[in-house]
Amino acid sequence: MSQMAFSSGVRQMVCTPHGVAGDLHLLQRIQKIEQSVMRLNQLFAHEELALTAYGGMELLCNDQLEQTLRDGAVLTLANSSYLLLETPFDERLSKIEYQMQMVKRYGFRPILAHPERYVWVQRNPECLSDWFDQGIVLQLNKGSVLGDFGRTCQRTAIWALNHGLIHILSSDAHNAQRRTPSFRRLYSFMMQYYSPSYAELLLSKNPECILKNQLVLGMSDDNIK
């Protein structure tokens, strides 16, 4: 998977295994992720692969979220203030917004993973505009943009891209067969239908802002297409 990512232009990547708020073993899981990332970078050095991995996690929000935040049982992206979050796919919009604001109150910058896959966002995509304005970082899945998760996901993803409401495009890689870390198809898609500056913002500039713990950027309407 690392070779595949590298061959598509990736030089830095954040590994984000799943975590669940309230998991009694979450701190041990975080430690395991950090140890695994360390070993992975040692392997890159041994193989002379110019790729750097960083630790992180995709935290599933639930009613135990506040306790988890209070306990500090979270792993931010590359030791930044950015915390990658997901919710159940049928979660209410009001609950999602409440959870994101809670994360902000605890001093983190929330990144909402794959909002285009949530049922109520698909029915009411205009909510993304409100969340964008509230400082919630919105991240689309590569597979959603390319239609790998069906027409509804793709339609919602394209709507969000067309309205300039997305900060990051991610691979959401799970394996080396179907949900891969390669960005070749996505980059070609973005260069075909959107401006080079928009593609660079979502695929390079904003990811770099996260690694440097800087504020992510938005894109003006004039530069989207």
Side-chain angles (χ1 to χ4, degrees), residues 137-158:
V137 180
L138 302 173
Q139 174 179 289
L140 289 183
N141 275 7
K142 173 187 73 174
S144 298
V145 175
L146 298 175
D148 296 340
F149 297 119
R151 293 183 179 180
T152 302
C153 277
Q154 185 180 40
R155 183 169 59 248
T156 306
I158 298 302

Side-chain angles (χ1 to χ4, degrees), residues 91-105:
E91 188 63 272
R92 303 185 311 276
L93 298 180
S94 59
K95 184 68 170 293
I96 295 175
E97 184 170 334
Y98 174 76
Q99 292 169 333
M100 298 303 109
Q101 295 301 331
M102 180 192 299
V103 169
K104 291 176 65 176
R105 289 198 301 272

Side-chain angles (χ1 to χ4, degrees), residues 7-219:
S7 67
S8 70
V10 175
R11 296 298 178 267
Q12 301 180 93
M13 63 181 182
V14 182
C15 305
T16 56
H18 292 280
V20 180
D23 180 0
L24 296 178
H25 302 287
L26 199 52
L27 287 174
Q28 293 95 316
R29 180 163 178 76
I30 289 172
Q31 184 179 33
K32 184 176 180 180
I33 292 171
E34 292 175 328
Q35 292 171 346
S36 296
V37 168
M38 184 183 303
R39 290 198 298 269
L40 187 58
N41 282 317
Q42 290 172 347
L43 178 61
F44 292 161
H46 182 267
E47 296 293 329
E48 298 184 346
L49 183 65
L51 183 63
T52 303
Y54 299 89
M57 71 187 321
E58 185 176 22
L59 185 67
L60 177 64
C61 298
N62 54 36
D63 292 338
Q64 301 299 313
L65 175 62
E66 185 164 17
Q67 185 62 54
T68 297
L69 294 170
R70 187 181 297 119
D71 294 341
V74 296
L75 184 59
T76 59
L77 305 187
N79 293 316
S80 69
S81 58
Y82 287 95
L83 184 59
L84 183 63
L85 305 148
E86 66 174 343
T87 74
F89 288 145
D90 60 350
E91 188 63 272
R92 303 185 311 276
L93 298 180
S94 59
K95 184 68 170 293
I96 295 175
E97 184 170 334
Y98 174 76
Q99 292 169 333
M100 298 303 109
Q101 295 301 331
M102 180 192 299
V103 169
K104 291 176 65 176
R105 289 198 301 272
Y106 276 84
F108 299 102
R109 293 170 176 160
I111 301 178
L112 182 59
H114 46 65
E116 76 283 358
R117 300 185 67 188
Y118 302 138
V119 173
W120 290 102
V121 174
Q122 293 171 352
R123 296 176 182 176
N124 305 274
E126 294 82 4
C127 70
L128 297 178
S129 180
D130 294 332
W131 295 348
F132 187 97
D133 292 340
Q134 293 170 19
I136 298 170
V137 180
L138 302 173
Q139 174 179 289
L140 289 183
N141 275 7
K142 173 187 73 174
S144 298
V145 175
L146 298 175
D148 296 340
F149 297 119
R151 293 183 179 180
T152 302
C153 277
Q154 185 180 40
R155 183 169 59 248
T156 306
I158 298 302
W159 184 93
L161 283 172
N162 290 345
H163 286 80
L165 298 176
I166 298 303
H167 298 92
I168 313 166
L169 293 170
S170 74
S171 67
D172 196 23
H174 280 58
N175 53 57
Q177 288 75 45
R178 183 169 176 268
R179 295 174 65 173
T180 77
S182 174
F183 280 90
R184 289 187 185 278
R185 289 174 58 214
L186 180 61
Y187 183 76
S188 296
F189 180 95
M190 291 298 297
M191 293 300 291
Q192 179 178 356
Y193 294 104
Y194 298 95
S195 71
S197 59
Y198 197 27
E200 183 181 9
L201 177 72
L202 303 185
L203 291 168
S204 180
K205 285 187 175 181
N206 274 342
E208 186 174 7
C209 285
I210 291 172
L211 291 179
K212 293 181 177 180
N213 202 27
Q214 299 171 349
L215 290 177
V216 295
L217 307 171
M219 177 63 75

